[in-house]
C-alpha cells in the first residue's frame, strides 16, 4: 500500500522567495541600518571610551584608537565594506562574490561582541559603568544598531530543481539552496570561477603577496597582544572576521589563485615567515614562534600518517621523543651516558634514523590492524616509551636516559661556525637565540613541506589515499597495503625525529613528561592529532595553521587557570560543529562533508 503526503497540511515558503531575517525589517532598510551602523562603529573607535588610563590600551584619547578600539574599527570597516558591496558599489563587488548578507551578519556580530566585551571589561575592572565616557555608550549603541540591521537581512531561497517539479516545498528549497552554495564554492575552490580566471598573472601574484602580508600582520598581532583582554578581543574579531571572508567567497577566490600559483605561494609564505623575527623587538615572542614551528612540523609529519594514509596514530609524540633523546645523547650533554659530541648534521641523522627505526619496529607488527585497534596499540606505544625512558635511570633499569631528570644541559647548536646560542646582527637588526632557532626550524619545515608535497603527488601518495578511502578496494586493485602503510609510518616517524633533534637543543633539556599523550603544554599526541583535524587533513597549509592556533591559544589563555582547557575545548567543539572539514580543507574531504549535508530530506512519497 502506498501513501502520499500532501503539502497542504503545513504552510511552506514558496520556492525562489526570500525568507525574512531574524528581525522583521524591509530588506532595503535593514541593509542601510547595517551599513550605516558599521560606518558609525568605525567613527566611535575614534572617541574616548573611558576617562582613565588604568584600563590597558589607553582608551582615553579622542581622534586616535587604542588597544581594543582598533579591533572594533576593523570589524566596523568590514561591515561597512560588505554593506556597500551588497549595493553593487563599483570596485567593491569583488569583495563578496558569493553574496554579502551572511558576511554582513558575521562582521556586525564581531563588532558588537568586541565592543560590548570591552565595555563590560572596563566596567568590571574599574568598578562600574560610571567609568565609561560618552564615546563608550555611543559605540555600544551603534554596534547594536549594525547587528540589528544585519540580523534583519533576508535569507534567499533559490527556485527548486526543475527535475522534481512536484516538490516545491521547504525540503526541496533547502536542498537546492545548499547545493547552489556548494557548487559555487566548489567552482572557486577548483579555480574554475570566471572572476579568478580573467585576472592577469601579475595581478594574481600581487593578490597572493597581499594575502600573505595580511596573514603575517594578523599572526604577529596575535602573538604580540600585550594583555589578556586584547587577546580575547583579537580572537573574537579574527574568528568572526575570517568566517565573514569565507562566507563572502573572497577566501575561496584567493584560494583558487594560490592553487594556480603553488610555487609562488610557497615561496611567498616562507618569505613572510622569515620576516617574522624582524618584526619583534626581543626574543619574547620569537620563542613562541620557534615552538609553533616545531609543533607545526611534527603535525605535518603526522598528517602523512593520518591525513594521507588514514592511520589513526595516538602515540605519534613518542617519535618526537625518540629523536630528541637520540640527539641529546650524542650532542655532548654532561648528563648523557655516552661521551659523544657530534656536529649538528650528525645529531640530526642520529635522531631521524632512530625515529625511523622505531617507526618500522612498531609498525611492522601492528599495521595489520585497522581503525580503533590500531589507535589503541599506538596509544600504548606512546605510554610504553614514556615509562621506559622514565625507568632507564640506573635503578629500575640501565642508566641511559637519567630517568625522570632527563638529559639536561644540552649545548647550543653550532653549524659552519655559527653559534645558535649567541646574538647576531642581520641588516642592522639584532637577532637573539630563539630567532636563530626560528630560522633553522623554518628551513626544516620547508624540507618537510617539500617531502609531503612530493610524496602526496607520487605513486605512493596515491596508494596512501586509496588505502585511506577504502583499504579493501585498494587491496583488490593490487596495492600492497602493508608495505604502503609501513612506508607512511616510517616516513612520518622520521620527520618527527627530525623536529625532535632541534627541540632538544632549543629546550636544553628532554624529560619523559614532555611526551605524554595529553600534556598541558603542546606538542603532545592529543594536540598533534587535533592540529591535523582542525587545520584540514591531507593538506599542507592546514596542519601548519592548526598547529599555530593550538599552540598560540593555550599559551595566551593561561590567565584562565583551571578553566583554560574548558574554554579551549568548547572552542574546538564549536569549530568542529560548524566546519568539520577543517579550516583549510582538502577539496575531496570538503565535498564529502558537504555531500552528506546536502543529502535530500525524506521523500514526500513513501512506500509501506
Amino acid at each position: 500500500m502506498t501513501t502520499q503526503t500532501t503539502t497542504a497540511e503545513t504552510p511552506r515558503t514558496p520556492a525562489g522567495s526570500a525568507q525574512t531575517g531574524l528581525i522583521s525589517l524591509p530588506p532595503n532598510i535593514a541593509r542601510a541600518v547595517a551599513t550605516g551602523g558599521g560606518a558609525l562603529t568605525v567613527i566611535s573607535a575614534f572617541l574616548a571610551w573611558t576617562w582613565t588610563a588604568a584600563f590597558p590600551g589607553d582608551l582615553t584619547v579622542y581622534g586616535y584608537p587604542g588597544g581594543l578600539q582598533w579591533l572594533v574599527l576593523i570589524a566596523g570597516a568590514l561591515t561597512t565594506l560588505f554593506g556597500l558591496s551588497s549595493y553593487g558599489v563599483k570596485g567593491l563587488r569583488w569583495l563578496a562574490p558569493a553574496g554579502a548578507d551572511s558576511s554582513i551578519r558575521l562582521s556586525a556580530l564581531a563588532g558588537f561582541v568586541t565592543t560590548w566585551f570591552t565595555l563590560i571589561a572596563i566596567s568590571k575592572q574599574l568598578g562600574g559603568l560610571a567609568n565609561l565616557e560618552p564615546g563608550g555608550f555611543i559605540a555600544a549603541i551603534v554596534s547594536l544598531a549594525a547587528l540589528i540591521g544585519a540580523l534583519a537581512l533576508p535569507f534567499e531561497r533559490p527556485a527548486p530543481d526543475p527535475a522534481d517539479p512536484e516538490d516545491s516545498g521547504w525540503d526541496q528549497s533547502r536542498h537546492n539552496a545548499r547545493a547552489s552554495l556548494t557548487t559555487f564554492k566548489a567552482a572557486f575552490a577548483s579555480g574554475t570561477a570566471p572572476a579568478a580566471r580573467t585576472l592577469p598573472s601579475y595581478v594574481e601574484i600581487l593578490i597572493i603577496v597581499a594575502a600573505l602580508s595580511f596573514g603575517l600582520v594578523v599572526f604577529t598581532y596575535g602573538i604580540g597582544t600585550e594583555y589578556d583582554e586584547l587577546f580575547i578581543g583579537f580572537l573574537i574579531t579574527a574568528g568572526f572576521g575570517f568566517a565573514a571572508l569565507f562566507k563572502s567567497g573572497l577566501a575561496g577566490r584567493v584560494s583558487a589563485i594560490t592553487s594556480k600559483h603553488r610555487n609562488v605561494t610557497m615561496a611567498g609564505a616562507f618569505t613572510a615567515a622569515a620576516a617574522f623575527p624582524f618584526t619583534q623587538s626581543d626574543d619574547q615572542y620569537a620563542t613562541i614562534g620557534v615552538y609553533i614551528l616545531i609543533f607545526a612540523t611534527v603535525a605535518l609529519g603526522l598528517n602523512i600518517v593520518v591525513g594521507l594514509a588514514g592511520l589513526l596514530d595516538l602515540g605519534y609524540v613518542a617519535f618526537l621523543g625518540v629523536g630528541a633523546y637520540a640527539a641529546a645523547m650524542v650532542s655532548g650533554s654532561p648528563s648523557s651516558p655516552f661521551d659523544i659530541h657530534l656536529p649538528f648534521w650528525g645529531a640530526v641523522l642520529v635522531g631521524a634514523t632512530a625515529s625511523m627505526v622505531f617507526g618500522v619496529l612498531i609498525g611492522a607488527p601492528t599495521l595489520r590492524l585497522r581503525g580503533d585497534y590500531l589507535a589503541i596499540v599506538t596509544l600504548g606505544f606512546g605510554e610504553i616509551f614514556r615509562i621506559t625512558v622514565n625507568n632507564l635511570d640506573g635503578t629500575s633499569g640501565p642508566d641511559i636516559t637519567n630517568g625522570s631528570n632527563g638529559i639536561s644541559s644540552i649545548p647550543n647548536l653550532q653549524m659552519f661556525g655559527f653559534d645558535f646560542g649567541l646574538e647576531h646582527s642581520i641588516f642592522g637588526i639584532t637577532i637573539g637565540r630563539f630567532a636563530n632557532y626560528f630560522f633553522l626550524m623554518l628551513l626544516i619545515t620547508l624540507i618537510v613541506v617539500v617531502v609531503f608535497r612530493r610524496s602526496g603527488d607520487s605513486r605512493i601518495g596515491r596508494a596512501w589515499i586509496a588505502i585511506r578511502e577504502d583499504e579493501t578496494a585498494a587491496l583488490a586493485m593490487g596495492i600492497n597495503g602493508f608495505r604502503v602503510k609501513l612506508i607512511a609510518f616510517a616516513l612520518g616517524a622520521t620527520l618527527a625525529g627530525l623536529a625532535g633533534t632541534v627541540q632538544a637543543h632549543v629546550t636544553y633539556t628532554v624529560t619523559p613528561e614532555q611526551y605524554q599523550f595529553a600534556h598541558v603544554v603542546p606538542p603532545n599526541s592529543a594536540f598533534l592529532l587535533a592540529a591535523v583535524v582542525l587545520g584540514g587533513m591531507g593538506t599542507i597549509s592546514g596542519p601548519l595553521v592548526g598547529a599555530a592556533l593550538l599552540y598560540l591559544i593555550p599559551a595566551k589563555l593561561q590567565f584562565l587557570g583551571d578553566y583554560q582547557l574548558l574554554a579551549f575545548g568548547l572552542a574546538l567543539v564549536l569549530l568542529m560543529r560548524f566546519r568539520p572539514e577543517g579550516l583549510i580543507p582538502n577539496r575531496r574531504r570538503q565535498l564529502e562533508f558537504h555531500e552528506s549535508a546536502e543529502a535530500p530530506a525524506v521523500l514526500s512519497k513513501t512506500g509501506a
Side-chain angles (χ1 to χ4, degrees):
M1 178 178 178
T2 303
T3 61
Q4 179 174 346
T5 60
T6 64
T7 60
E9 299 174 1
T10 305
R12 295 185 179 185
T13 304
S17 64
Q19 298 291 313
T20 58
L22 298 179
I23 299 174
S24 181
L25 281 177
N28 56 340
I29 296 179
R31 191 165 284 107
V33 170
T35 306
L40 292 175
T41 301
V42 172
I43 296 174
S44 70
F46 291 88
L47 304 177
W49 288 9
T50 181
W51 62 272
T52 173
F55 186 82
D58 194 5
L59 311 183
T60 64
V61 180
Y62 281 90
Y64 186 81
L68 284 156
Q69 288 177 324
W70 281 107
L71 301 175
V72 173
L73 186 151
I74 293 172
L78 280 177
T79 305
T80 305
L81 291 174
F82 283 128
L84 294 176
S85 69
S86 67
Y87 283 104
V89 175
K90 187 177 181 181
L92 292 179
R93 284 176 288 186
W94 58 270
L95 193 61
D101 286 355
S102 295
S103 302
I104 294 173
R105 294 187 194 96
L106 290 168
S107 57
L109 189 59
F112 171 79
V113 176
T114 307
T115 301
W116 284 65
F117 164 75
T118 304
L119 299 179
I120 292 173
I122 292 173
S123 302
K124 182 178 179 181
Q125 184 169 330
L126 301 183
L129 295 175
N131 294 281
L132 295 178
E133 286 285 289
F137 293 103
I138 293 174
I141 294 172
V142 297
S143 63
L144 177 60
L147 180 63
I148 291 174
L151 295 178
L153 291 174
F155 295 89
E156 297 292 335
R157 303 292 182 188
D161 191 345
D164 189 9
E166 295 182 5
D167 189 0
S168 60
W170 162 257
D171 291 336
Q172 185 67 19
S173 178
R174 179 180 61 180
H175 169 59
N176 287 324
R178 289 176 174 171
S180 299
L181 181 58
T182 303
T183 303
F184 183 86
K185 289 181 177 179
F188 276 103
S190 61
T192 59
R197 196 171 54 206
T198 55
L199 293 175
S201 295
Y202 73 91
V203 175
E204 293 180 337
I205 293 175
L206 289 176
I207 291 175
I208 293 174
V209 172
L212 293 174
S213 301
F214 176 73
L216 175 63
V217 170
V218 172
F219 179 72
T220 303
Y221 187 89
I223 286 184
T225 49
E226 300 174 351
Y227 49 95
D228 302 334
E229 293 86 356
L230 183 61
F231 183 72
I232 294 178
F234 166 77
L235 287 182
I236 295 171
T237 305
F240 285 115
F242 278 106
L245 295 178
F246 276 104
K247 283 290 186 180
S248 69
L250 183 60
R253 175 171 287 178
V254 174
S255 177
I257 295 174
T258 56
S259 298
K260 184 178 178 181
H261 304 277
R262 294 177 63 184
N263 292 330
V264 174
T265 303
M266 182 181 296
F270 280 94
T271 301
F276 168 73
F278 296 99
T279 64
Q280 308 302 312
S281 57
D282 53 40
D283 252 12
Q284 178 182 1
Y285 299 122
T287 305
I288 298 178
V290 69
Y291 284 128
I292 286 176
L293 280 181
I294 293 174
F295 190 16
T297 303
V298 181
L300 196 57
L302 179 61
N303 197 26
I304 294 178
V305 180
V306 177
L308 294 182
L311 305 174
L312 185 56
D313 187 352
L314 297 182
Y316 188 76
V317 74
F319 297 122
L320 176 70
V322 170
Y325 267 97
M329 291 178 183
V330 298
S331 295
S333 169
S335 302
S336 172
F338 308 106
D339 188 16
I340 302 175
H341 190 177
L342 296 180
F344 168 68
W345 295 113
V348 166
L349 290 176
V350 169
T353 303
S355 295
M356 181 186 67
V357 170
F358 270 85
V360 173
L361 292 178
I362 299 302
T366 61
L367 287 178
R368 300 187 187 278
L369 301 174
R370 299 187 187 181
D372 299 339
Y373 300 100
L374 177 62
I376 293 172
V377 169
T378 54
L379 176 61
F381 163 65
E383 288 301 299
I384 289 172
F385 166 77
R386 183 182 62 83
I387 294 172
T388 300
V389 296
N390 197 39
N391 290 334
L392 297 179
D393 56 356
T395 302
S396 303
D399 186 10
I400 298 177
T401 63
N402 205 22
S404 59
N405 294 324
I407 299 178
S408 59
S409 302
I410 302 172
N412 284 300
L413 288 175
Q414 293 187 11
M415 185 168 54
F416 304 121
F418 185 90
D419 191 336
F420 284 83
L422 302 178
E423 291 185 348
H424 299 274
S425 180
I426 301 178
F427 304 120
I429 300 176
T430 301
I431 300 298
R433 176 179 183 270
F434 284 101
N436 296 330
Y437 281 107
F438 180 89
F439 288 122
L440 177 62
M441 272 309 307
L442 190 62
L443 177 61
I444 293 177
T445 303
L446 177 60
I447 294 173
V448 175
V449 166
V450 172
V451 170
F452 182 92
R453 180 177 173 183
R454 300 294 294 177
S455 300
D457 293 337
S458 67
R459 181 178 179 181
I460 192 69
R462 293 192 295 271
W464 287 336
I465 294 174
I467 291 289
R468 181 194 69 192
E469 297 299 323
D470 193 328
E471 184 171 352
T472 303
L475 296 176
M477 295 301 294
I479 295 177
N480 188 332
F482 174 76
R483 182 176 66 88
V484 167
K485 291 191 291 185
L486 187 60
I487 292 174
F489 216 70
L491 180 58
T494 303
L495 298 179
L498 184 63
T501 59
V502 180
Q503 184 205 29
H505 292 83
V506 170
T507 59
Y508 287 127
T509 304
V510 289
T511 58
E513 288 73 20
Q514 295 175 334
Y515 308 106
Q516 299 180 20
F517 170 74
H519 192 253
V520 177
V521 179
N524 56 63
S525 292
F527 274 71
L528 287 170
L529 184 61
V532 174
V533 177
L534 171 68
M537 292 196 299
T539 64
I540 294 176
S541 53
L544 299 178
V545 173
L549 291 177
L550 288 181
Y551 190 92
L552 178 62
I553 294 177
K556 289 288 188 176
L557 291 182
Q558 293 181 1
F559 65 92
L560 292 178
D562 295 337
Y563 296 98
Q564 174 186 350
L565 290 179
L566 174 62
F568 188 63
L570 288 176
L572 289 181
V573 169
L574 292 175
L575 186 59
M576 288 294 98
R577 165 62 183 84
F578 293 105
R579 198 169 178 82
E581 67 271 26
L583 293 174
I584 307 177
N586 176 275
R587 288 198 295 270
R588 181 186 293 107
R589 183 171 176 81
Q590 186 177 25
L591 290 175
E592 287 175 358
F593 275 100
H594 283 288
E595 277 184 349
S596 62
E598 268 80 43
V602 179
L603 297 177
S604 59
K605 298 179 182 180
T606 59

